[in-house]
Amino acid sequence: MASGVGVNSACLEEFTNLKLRKKTDNGEILKYIVYNLNKDNTEIVVEKTSASGDYEEFLGDLPEGECRWAVYDFEFQKEGGIRNKLCFFMWSPDKAKIKQKMLFASSKDALRRALVGIAVEVQGTDIDEVAYESVLEKASKGN
Amino acid sequence: MVNYGGDEVSALVLDIGSSSTRAGYAGDDTPKAIIPTSYGAITSPDGDVQMSDSDGNPTAEKRKVYIGHSGPSLWRANMEIHNPIADGLIQDFNPIPALIRHAFEDTMRCSPSEHPVLVTEPAWNTPANREKMAEIMFEEFQVPAFYIANTGVLNTFAAGKGSALVIDVGQTMASVIPVVDGFVLRKGLAYSGLPQLVYAQARHILTNPTQARPAIDLTPHQLIFNKQPVELNALPIYTLREDRAAATTPSWRSWAENKEVEEWVQSVAGVLDQGWNDQSAAMRPPKQYEFPTGYSTWFGAERLTVGEQFFWHSPQLMNSPGAPRIIPSLISDSLRACEPELRQVLMGNVVLTGGGSLFTGFADRLANEMMRTFPHTKIHAPGNPIERRYGGWLGGSILASLGTFHQLWISKEEWQEHGSAIVGQRCK
């Protein structure tokens, strides 16, 4: 069951840039992308792209009372080496309106299927579930 | 009528539960029509009685059917009470068109032939049942478009989740439904008729004497001619409507008495949040309740034994083969059937829904029970009773109101071209 909401082509383009570490026009490498629905709730669009490595800044881009999706290039240490994993976030805080929750949950699949190469998926309803430590725990599992 | 980009499709949403049938406009936050699913029927011995307007069943020519708020709850001579739902599924489709007609046409005053209709179904619905529902909608009601959506998935989405363990406690069924990425994991589906046992137990408590009080008379108000106010705990003084005694059917009497039990349960019964303990049960404040006969008393610890049935059964009952599984057993059976990696995701996203879960103390007790085995459990239980009681309807209402959802409806043309097979293909 799905909402039938479409995915704007820019969503995939930015994701590919992030995945392939392609330099942006400013010479930066993307760290994360935040996705939102457009005003008419018909299409998933890119809300923000950022090269900031500050995880707290990323969390600041997840609004307290509204849903979002995001992809974060998560970097961590394991067995002495640096690893990278692409994390997909479904951000749906308890405070969000039920209509928005329904919309985002039923549209997620369309976006998620378009993004190939995601290693970790995080479903977050409060800030604890998306905190650095929680994501680190998920990311460091497996290889 | 249908508008693509915006959210104006003016669809109707229908949710048939075992206790009530909910119908309303997509986009609304509460159903417009909430009518009992049970209905009354009088079978006349001779064929002269004219057929009721709302009776769509040609084989029941001698049968008059009463549906809605003035249906089963009004006393009528020789009226029997029936319910088309058994184990959460529609077992008897004969009264269904009349029920739908009553909800849409008589209560909402709208014509389903002018609106797309989204119907909800329980997670364990059968393909034959959903196709039958599609057939009724397209053939009887001539709807322009139809969709059937799973309440487990709707509740998951309405909680803002793609994956969740839905715990749905209704009037007759309790179910645990693992939903992963918007699909019900069929092998992990667990359900039982537990609420029926809880109500039977509540009735047993009331109709048996205790040291503190006599057995309680559940005579419904429809059969009481008059009554006098009496002191607390005093025996009731009332006169029965003798004129009605002979023509009261056993099924009506039992339906009405069960209503009394339900009301008592809803206003008085509860459950201890930390498991049964005589001391803490005795410390809870007693609650007063007055029955239709005029008898009123305080209910102490016994009101808390009712809810205990959801979570704990005596070993004797647990081992008897026909006994419905309790909530903790349903949860563990469901999780056992799921892959170990999934269990953590599911337990971290538990969604509690259904009118039966509004029981005082239910959510706290559930959380405590689950924490014991899974310390990372997180329960999402909407505090708003409307969201809890009509979660499935509400999810359907939002989904059906989306302009983009339009492409998923099964249109009448598609139905005519592909027949019933399209229901299974489109509504996954």
Side-chain angles (χ1 to χ4, degrees):
Chain A
M1 199 162 64
S3 64
V5 165
V7 181
N8 186 291
S9 57
C11 295
L12 192 54
E13 281 166 30
E14 293 292 1
F15 175 72
T16 312
N17 290 344
L18 180 136
K19 189 163 80 168
L20 302 178
R21 308 259 159 91
K22 224 167 111 184
K23 286 208 166 100
T24 61
D25 299 341
N26 315 338
E28 291 175 325
I29 292 172
L30 289 185
K31 189 70 181 163
Y32 67 88
I33 308 168
V34 180
Y35 299 101
N36 195 1
L37 276 169
N38 66 352
K39 257 208 193 114
D40 302 334
N41 295 332
T42 52
E43 199 179 48
I44 299 169
V45 294
V46 174
E47 185 183 60
K48 182 180 176 178
T49 58
S50 170
S52 163
D54 184 358
Y55 194 75
E56 293 304 313
E57 197 181 316
F58 163 65
L59 291 185
D61 284 331
L62 302 178
E64 210 182 322
E66 280 180 55
C67 303
R68 292 288 184 275
W69 300 280
V71 172
Y72 193 94
D73 186 1
F74 200 79
E75 200 175 274
F76 59 102
Q77 297 266 343
K78 195 184 178 187
E79 289 152 11
I82 290 177
R83 309 280 178 93
N84 275 75
K85 270 187 185 175
L86 294 180
C87 295
F88 181 86
F89 288 81
M90 159 94 214
W91 173 243
S92 172
D94 289 335
K95 276 188 200 160
K97 291 227 164 69
I98 184 164
K99 175 164 184 183
Q100 210 191 22
K101 288 188 197 172
M102 185 82 203
L103 253 167
F104 273 70
S106 56
S107 309
K108 183 205 116 186
D109 217 37
L111 177 64
R112 180 63 188 83
R113 260 184 294 136
L115 310 179
V116 181
I118 298 283
V120 181
E121 222 179 293
V122 179
Q123 203 168 244
T125 53
D126 63 31
I127 212 79
D128 290 346
E129 287 174 296
V130 293
Y132 186 82
E133 291 72 30
S134 317
V135 181
L136 179 66
E137 192 195 319
K138 277 199 171 169
S140 24
K141 264 186 215 155
N143 300 307
Chain B
M1 174 201 68
V2 176
N3 176 355
Y4 241 80
D7 285 350
E8 289 304 318
V9 272
S10 67
L12 301 174
V13 180
L14 177 71
D15 180 14
I16 304 179
S18 48
S19 97
S20 69
T21 294
R22 284 78 69 165
Y25 292 105
D28 281 5
D29 51 10
T30 39
K32 280 264 181 297
I34 303 168
I35 58 173
T37 304
S38 290
Y39 65 97
I42 299 176
T43 312
S44 307
D46 57 283
D48 298 339
V49 176
Q50 73 178 90
M51 205 176 104
S52 156
D53 284 340
S54 57
D55 189 349
N57 183 0
T59 59
E61 279 178 336
K62 294 177 198 167
R63 201 161 171 244
K64 196 161 159 63
V65 174
Y66 299 91
I67 292 172
H69 288 295
S70 315
S73 55
L74 292 190
W75 184 91
R76 291 180 181 89
N78 301 316
M79 181 171 75
E80 302 274 1
I81 302 296
H82 305 272
N83 189 307
I85 315 276
D87 289 344
L89 300 181
I90 300 174
Q91 299 289 341
D92 178 11
F93 272 96
N94 288 327
I96 296 298
L99 187 69
I100 296 173
R101 191 161 283 132
H102 184 85
F104 285 151
E105 294 177 2
D106 301 342
T107 314
M108 290 174 63
R109 305 255 167 233
C110 74
S111 165
S113 65
E114 292 163 11
H115 306 267
V117 177
L118 182 141
V119 182
T120 66
E121 61 175 355
W124 57 93
N125 203 10
T126 62
N129 249 8
R130 62 205 313 230
E131 283 169 16
K132 179 75 190 167
M133 185 53 87
E135 189 188 314
I136 289 177
M137 284 301 170
F138 281 118
E139 309 295 340
E140 286 241 22
F141 291 97
Q142 301 285 320
V143 297
F146 169 82
Y147 195 85
I148 191 158
N150 191 300
T151 50
V153 180
L154 289 174
N155 275 302
T156 303
F157 284 174
K161 296 168 190 299
S163 305
L165 189 71
V166 179
I167 300 181
D168 186 345
V169 186
Q171 184 77 39
T172 59
M173 301 301 283
S175 53
V176 175
I177 311 154
V179 176
V180 177
D181 287 330
F183 291 97
V184 170
L185 209 59
R186 286 233 161 209
K187 60 180 177 181
L189 196 57
Y191 57 94
S192 77
L194 182 63
Q196 296 166 51
L197 181 101
V198 174
Y199 284 112
Q201 171 71 13
R203 189 191 170 107
H204 180 82
I205 290 177
L206 291 175
T207 53
N208 281 282
T210 66
Q211 287 172 333
R213 59 161 173 82
I216 289 166
D217 181 346
L218 292 173
T219 304
H221 67 87
Q222 292 97 327
L223 298 182
I224 291 171
F225 180 66
N226 66 25
K227 62 182 170 190
Q228 286 170 27
V230 291
E231 292 288 304
L232 194 71
N233 289 327
L235 284 177
I237 306 169
Y238 65 96
T239 25
L240 284 172
R241 291 194 59 148
E242 296 297 342
D243 56 321
R244 288 186 166 182
T248 301
T249 62
S251 70
W252 186 86
R253 173 113 198 176
S254 120
W255 180 86
E257 288 186 1
N258 285 338
K259 277 269 163 240
E260 296 305 333
V261 176
E262 278 165 32
E263 256 168 54
W264 177 78
V265 166
Q266 277 169 18
S267 42
V268 172
V271 64
L272 289 173
D273 53 357
Q274 298 287 357
W276 187 257
N277 175 325
D278 285 337
Q279 267 180 323
S280 44
M283 276 167 55
R284 290 300 185 88
K287 284 192 182 177
Q288 194 193 358
Y289 190 84
E290 183 179 330
F291 291 88
T293 54
Y295 177 75
S296 73
T297 191
W298 291 89
F299 291 92
E302 60 185 332
R303 73 186 178 90
L304 298 165
T305 60
V306 180
E308 199 61 23
Q309 299 284 320
F310 279 114
F311 298 96
W312 188 86
H313 285 171
S314 64
Q316 208 181 340
L317 183 59
M318 285 288 264
N319 293 330
S320 69
R325 285 176 284 172
I326 52 174
I327 304 265
S329 314
L330 290 173
I331 295 171
S332 55
D333 286 355
S334 172
L335 289 176
R336 205 173 306 127
C338 299
E339 274 79 35
E341 314 86 80
L342 272 178
R343 291 176 198 162
Q344 196 144 20
V345 177
L346 294 173
M347 291 310 276
N349 294 283
V350 176
V351 174
L352 183 62
T353 183
S357 73
L358 287 167
F359 215 85
T360 317
F362 194 98
D364 294 336
R365 175 64 178 274
L366 182 67
N368 287 329
E369 291 278 339
M370 291 174 92
M371 291 291 184
R372 235 176 269 163
T373 19
F374 289 87
H376 296 296
T377 301
K378 189 163 180 256
I379 298 182
H380 172 97
N384 176 350
I386 302 277
E387 266 181 45
R388 189 94 69 86
R389 205 181 283 267
Y390 309 122
W393 186 89
L394 194 54
S397 162
I398 299 168
L399 197 65
S401 73
L402 303 177
T404 49
F405 188 72
H406 178 80
Q407 52 195 294
L408 286 117
W409 291 104
I410 299 169
S411 70
K412 195 175 182 177
E413 291 72 33
E414 286 173 307
W415 167 261
Q416 280 159 350
E417 195 181 327
H418 304 283
S420 57
I422 192 154
V423 182
Q425 286 167 18
R426 188 70 59 82
C427 310
K428 282 179 182 153

